[in-house]
Amino acid sequence: MRNGEDQHPDTTSVGLGYEAAEHLGSLKLPIYETSTFVFESAKEGKRFFEQAYGEDADADAGYIYSRLDSPNLRPAEARLARWEEAEEGLLFGSGMGAITTVLLTFLRPGDQVLYSNPVYGGTSALMRGLLTEFGVECIPFSEDADPAGLADGERLAMVYVETPANPTNALFDIQASGELAHTHGARLVVDNTFLSPVWQRPIAHGADLSLHSATKYLGGHSDLTAGAVCGGRHDIAALRRTRYEIGTTPSPSTGWLLTRSLETLRLRVERQTENATRIAEFLDGHPKVTQVRHLSLLQPGDPGHDIYKRQCLGPGAMISFEIAGEEAEVFHFLDAMSVVRLATSLGGTESLASHPWTMAPPTLPAEQKLSIGVTPGLVRLSVGIENVSDLIRDLERALTAV
Ligand SMILES: Cc1ncc(COP(=O)(O)O)c(C=O)c1O
């Protein structure tokens, strides 16, 4: 099972990178809760350091210290890389840890980044705040803009695209973004959190790095925070070195939880997607709902339809929709639901609703939020694996409260 080169990710997800014989015959990967590892000899200690800090930060280096690496991370990293059709993968302590490590590794003062807008609030805060203060020019572009006109050929170092975008499901063209980046010798980084590799594999469309808040679908049970990046061997080696230095490494227990979760990734995401497609259909016809954005509803001629057909394998389980009314009406609706809970995360087995207008980091002024489709009436729904009739009944009842 070590290589599984000819196997499907559904198969490698339950075995790749783990040999029971190396762990007292334990069928499942044990949790190695230790801060450090004992060297058999001084010579071995020297060799492990040489491997870990060598030119290409060796992915198979011996274990030294849990801030650097742990046996609980590598199986999930290898399995995720297989899903993402990437050479290698690397885990982090949170999605923001993954994003920060990518930005710090590949950007320098004076560089330019073009980033899609909307983008997760934490990412936007980082671009507009710290990264700008460190002298990187960060320029947002929306789904109807052509970013090529914004690029400074000398300074463009990264195109950063979150697609579908949180919270509106706006789609951005991965292939075109890759061509723009590569024309200028820059990297394309794609945040693939919303669809997961079950429905989107950005590297196959020209991305250099595909990253995740693994807190969401990859973890899938709302019981961990983690991040992940997949890409080419050399880029991942550079990220591994930064992770060693800044300590954005997840704990052994987090690696263990993620390894467990990846086994059921497809089962969860397919069920969530089926539920979301039924719910989107229900909401789309409801008189108290003015607009529904779920990728299953895209029709030929709609913005994003062609991109969807080219780069996505399925519509995912994130829905955003507008309720007729203002904040007060939306709050009545949110408070009236009982199966769907009010919380800010997404991608777990349970359905969660949130109100992006008020429940996100306060990075954007009101008029900018409105211009990217984040309105006081907007609700973001992360659909879980519950019985879909129970979910629809809950939504229907809550809509009568508006
Ligand atoms: C699309 C997206 N990217 C990145 C993040 C940040 O991930 P984390 O909360 O795991 O740091 C989030 C969090 O909601 C997200 O939705």
Side-chain angles (χ1 to χ4, degrees):
M1 286 297 257
R2 255 189 180 276
N3 268 318
E5 299 248 315
D6 57 345
Q7 293 172 349
H8 195 274
D10 291 332
T11 307
T12 51
S13 280
V14 295
L16 183 67
Y18 180 73
E19 291 292 346
E22 293 171 6
H23 304 268
L24 302 177
S26 173
L27 174 66
K28 287 303 190 196
L29 172 67
I31 307 180
Y32 287 89
E33 279 296 4
T34 182
S35 59
T36 195
F37 297 82
V38 178
F39 305 129
E40 275 183 7
S41 64
K43 206 165 149 194
E44 183 181 79
K46 177 183 173 189
R47 182 161 53 81
F48 283 6
F49 269 87
E50 281 169 356
Q51 287 173 333
Y53 288 94
E55 185 47 28
D56 247 357
D58 196 337
D60 298 320
Y63 296 108
I64 298 171
Y65 184 59
S66 288
R67 170 164 53 77
L68 309 188
D69 207 344
S70 136
N72 286 108
L73 307 184
R74 292 186 190 171
E77 290 172 342
R79 294 173 193 187
L80 182 61
R82 206 50 77 81
W83 267 111
E84 289 277 351
E85 300 177 17
E87 284 179 350
E88 289 189 7
L90 201 63
L91 296 180
F92 297 87
S94 68
M96 287 315 300
I99 293 167
T100 306
T101 307
V102 165
L103 300 178
L104 282 181
T105 302
F106 297 119
L107 297 174
R108 292 295 173 268
D111 284 348
Q112 184 194 50
V113 183
L114 301 178
Y115 69 98
S116 58
N117 190 26
V119 73
Y120 168 62
T123 309
S124 159
L126 193 55
M127 297 277 185
R128 288 164 180 268
L130 270 183
L131 208 58
T132 301
E133 285 168 35
F134 285 158
V136 177
E137 185 189 23
C138 303
I139 303 181
F141 63 93
S142 58
E143 70 186 309
D144 48 12
D146 177 7
L150 302 167
D152 175 331
E154 293 290 297
R155 296 189 302 117
L156 183 70
M158 187 179 286
V159 179
Y160 183 102
V161 167
E162 183 181 294
T163 182
N166 186 356
T168 60
N169 268 336
L171 289 176
F172 293 85
D173 189 328
I174 296 174
Q175 193 187 324
S177 304
E179 284 163 10
L180 170 62
H182 299 149
T183 303
H184 299 291
R187 280 181 180 74
L188 171 64
V189 178
V190 174
D191 185 330
N192 195 25
T193 300
F194 257 39
L195 284 185
S196 90
V198 174
W199 299 139
Q200 186 168 263
R201 320 244 166 97
I203 288 168
H205 297 276
D208 298 284
L209 296 170
S210 174
L211 66 80
H212 290 268
S213 166
T215 313
K216 317 301 184 197
Y217 290 101
L218 302 184
H221 297 70
S222 304
D223 56 6
L224 61 88
T225 59
V229 183
C230 292
R233 189 160 290 120
H234 295 297
D235 276 358
I236 296 294
L239 293 169
R240 188 177 287 113
R241 263 196 306 273
T242 311
R243 189 184 76 173
Y244 290 174
E245 284 172 20
I246 65 176
T248 43
T249 319
S251 69
S253 312
T254 297
W256 184 89
L257 282 167
L258 264 175
T259 311
R260 168 217 58 179
S261 292
L262 285 179
E263 295 189 9
T264 58
L265 177 66
R266 180 190 293 283
L267 300 179
R268 288 181 282 105
V269 169
E270 282 187 351
R271 166 65 176 241
Q272 287 169 282
T273 302
E274 270 168 40
N275 282 356
T277 303
R278 292 267 310 273
I279 290 171
E281 224 175 85
F282 158 75
L283 290 171
D284 199 32
H286 198 284
K288 292 200 175 151
V289 175
T290 52
Q291 201 201 3
V292 186
R293 287 190 81 161
H294 182 248
L295 304 187
S296 67
L297 297 175
L298 286 174
Q299 300 297 326
D302 287 348
H305 177 266
D306 291 351
I307 298 177
Y308 175 68
K309 287 285 167 205
R310 265 200 315 276
Q311 74 190 28
C312 308
L313 300 164
M318 294 302 301
I319 303 176
S320 65
F321 60 99
E322 283 210 40
I323 291 197
E326 290 295 317
E327 193 173 297
E329 285 76 25
V330 182
F331 279 16
H332 284 314
F333 166 76
L334 293 172
D335 290 341
M337 286 187 290
S338 60
V339 180
V340 177
R341 257 84 52 84
L342 192 50
T344 193
S345 198
L346 61 103
T349 49
E350 64 289 299
S351 296
L352 298 179
S354 76
H355 185 236
W357 183 259
T358 56
M359 298 168 197
T363 16
L364 293 183
E367 69 280 4
Q368 280 189 36
K369 286 201 275 192
L370 291 171
S371 76
I372 51 170
V374 178
T375 61
L378 190 74
V379 173
R380 188 189 74 185
L381 187 63
S382 167
V383 178
I385 63 169
E386 303 93 335
N387 178 286
V388 71
S389 304
D390 288 341
L391 291 171
I392 290 176
R393 219 178 14 251
D394 198 39
L395 289 161
E396 196 161 29
R397 226 177 358 230
L399 281 166
T400 61
V402 174

